[in-house]
Amino acid sequence: MSDDITIGRPRPSVVGLPAYRPGRDAKQAQIDHGVVDAIKLASNENPDGPIASVVDAVIAATTGVNRYADHRGSALRAVLSEWLQVSPEAVTIGNGSVGLLQQIFLTYLDPGDEVIFGWRSFEVYPIYSQLVGATAVRIPLLDDLTYDVDGIIAAISPRTKVVMLATPNNPTGTVLTTADIIRIAKAAGNDVIVVIDEAYREFAGAAGGDPVHDVTPQFPNVLVTRTLSKAHGLAGLRVGYGVGHPSVISDIDKVAVPFHVNGLAQAAAIAAIANIAEIEQRCAAIVAERARVEEVLRSLGWWHPEHHGNFVYLSTGARSMEFATELEKRGVVVRPFDGEGIRVTIGSTQENDRFIGAIKELGVPA
Ligand SMILES: *Cc1c(COP(=O)(O)O)cnc(C)c1O
């Protein structure tokens, strides 16, 4: 109804943005395909609800919501700083880590500036690039779906202001080594911010290294972002955090929306970190399920990249959309990337069994 008229004069960069299209949910798949009990393995969510102590903390915090929350989230920053063993000035929080990423783009990128990232990677990067009028420089992944580190380094130019590195990468699940992160950070230099987006680090084990301790102390241009959405099961509450040089942290803090991390989210995050062992156990169970799913995929003849997140990726190529639809008809909603592949979140044991059952019926694409 409103498609053919525009009221007001949106910025050209906004006019060019694709309209927001939420991921397909299980209910929509049920309606479209006449199936019952469809499951959603499309958004890398945690199959488990929040742990009991988090639920208690959120309920307790509800009685205070007539007040604005602490804008800086000082208590949460203090908890993070103690837990991570970094100074409080080296930590910030965000409305999910995508909130922090938006602050980073707003802080550093003017129209015409360049932001480099591997591709395919997290879809938010090109959207935020376009929003601020920056030029997105996409460096294609190598054949094994890892980053082309030399290509990324070669693309750094005087116009480059930001390099975005998701590790584990979404949607492929591959990781960068600490040595490669350091190579990129060195090549970038202090005029370029290198963002290490570690949304899935809790599923990566030792493979992902620890850039907070192994990179940020020597490289003030490196900023690490993390989230409580995936491993901690708090996607719906929106809380993420960043660790980096205090001068970078104070610059990105300036562009935060006032009170961007609400009080319930702050309370939940504090409780989650206080009970991190319980969360780590749950992550270990998801990693074990990932190995089980991978084993089945290999036995069926699928090649897959080295996964380190809470999802698997299959190179279904030209048949990706069709493959996703066939899985949906079997009640399993996954995330397709047209012409490239499908990403399937590791869910509960029963959900993963549903995916396994469905993929067995479909066979390996030629
Ligand atoms: C899911 C995801 C995020 C963040 O999500 P938030 O819910 O905003 O914290 C960030 N980066 C990548 C690569 C992701 O896949």
Side-chain angles (χ1 to χ4, degrees):
M1 173 185 155
S2 59
D3 280 357
D4 45 1
I5 76 166
T6 302
I7 310 297
R9 291 171 294 164
R11 295 164 48 222
S13 60
V14 173
V15 173
L17 282 176
Y20 177 70
R21 206 166 37 95
R24 289 172 57 74
D25 62 15
K27 212 179 248 164
Q28 192 58 48
Q30 293 183 173
I31 294 166
D32 289 357
H33 305 295
V35 292
V36 289
D37 294 340
I39 56 167
K40 181 187 177 197
L41 298 176
S43 297
N44 294 345
E45 293 153 332
N46 198 309
D48 296 317
I51 59 174
S53 46
V54 166
V55 174
D56 291 345
V58 171
I59 291 171
T62 56
T63 57
V65 298
N66 54 312
R67 305 285 179 195
Y68 287 111
D70 172 7
H71 168 64
R72 279 186 62 78
S74 305
L76 175 55
R77 287 188 202 223
V79 163
L80 287 165
S81 120
E82 192 179 316
W83 177 47
L84 300 168
Q85 298 285 294
V86 297
S87 84
E89 296 75 38
V91 181
T92 188
I93 58 173
N95 187 257
S97 54
V98 297
L100 273 180
L101 298 180
Q102 189 180 66
Q103 288 174 241
I104 293 164
F105 277 67
L106 288 173
T107 301
Y108 295 102
L109 293 158
D110 269 323
D113 289 341
E114 290 182 358
V115 49
I116 298 173
F117 44 84
W119 197 250
R120 185 168 280 278
S121 187
F122 192 31
E123 285 157 300
V124 157
Y125 306 160
I127 293 172
Y128 283 178
S129 301
Q130 189 174 333
L131 186 59
V132 296
T135 302
V137 179
R138 295 174 172 84
I139 308 300
L141 301 180
L142 301 174
D143 286 346
D144 62 357
L145 301 181
T146 61
Y147 288 119
D148 176 1
V149 173
D150 292 324
I152 289 170
I153 289 172
I156 298 171
S157 81
R159 290 213 301 248
T160 308
K161 302 276 288 286
V162 174
V163 180
M164 293 299 315
L165 301 168
T167 176
N169 189 24
N170 174 3
T172 57
T174 62
V175 286
L176 274 170
T177 62
T178 301
D180 281 337
I181 292 173
I182 287 175
R183 277 178 65 209
I184 295 168
K186 267 191 186 149
N190 282 354
D191 280 348
V192 178
I193 298 294
V194 178
V195 180
I196 312 296
D197 176 350
E198 287 200 299
Y200 302 100
R201 72 164 278 107
E202 295 84 357
F203 306 104
D210 184 356
V212 162
H213 292 111
D214 299 339
V215 183
T216 59
Q218 309 93 280
F219 295 95
N221 59 330
V222 173
L223 178 65
V224 178
T225 61
R226 296 179 178 171
T227 180
L228 282 87
S229 293
K230 310 283 164 59
H232 309 74
L234 299 179
L237 273 177
R238 317 303 304 126
V239 55
Y241 62 97
V243 184
H245 190 274
S247 121
V248 172
I249 295 295
S250 75
D251 285 337
I252 65 174
D253 275 351
K254 287 180 195 166
V255 303
V257 170
F259 312 106
H260 59 324
V261 184
N262 72 74
L264 306 188
Q266 292 184 29
I270 290 169
I273 292 161
N275 295 279
I276 202 72
E278 206 177 328
I279 284 159
E280 284 167 353
Q281 260 175 21
R282 289 175 165 207
C283 291
I286 289 171
V287 169
E289 276 293 292
R290 183 182 74 206
R292 182 173 76 90
V293 170
E294 285 180 327
E295 180 64 41
V296 173
L297 292 172
R298 283 193 298 268
S299 76
L300 293 172
W302 285 95
W303 174 84
H304 63 75
E306 273 193 41
H307 300 123
H308 295 282
N310 64 341
F311 51 89
V312 295
Y313 181 84
L314 298 178
S315 296
T316 36
R319 287 182 58 200
S320 298
M321 302 314 282
E322 177 197 332
F323 232 85
T325 303
E326 287 302 320
L327 287 169
E328 268 190 24
K329 286 183 187 163
R330 291 160 177 80
V332 181
V333 182
V334 303
R335 177 72 173 86
F337 300 93
D338 198 2
E340 295 178 46
I342 59 171
R343 190 194 67 203
V344 186
T345 304
I346 299 297
S348 67
T349 303
Q350 292 104 306
E351 287 173 335
N352 302 330
D353 283 341
R354 291 279 303 277
F355 167 62
I356 287 168
I359 196 93
K360 277 183 175 167
E361 287 179 29
L362 293 181
V364 183

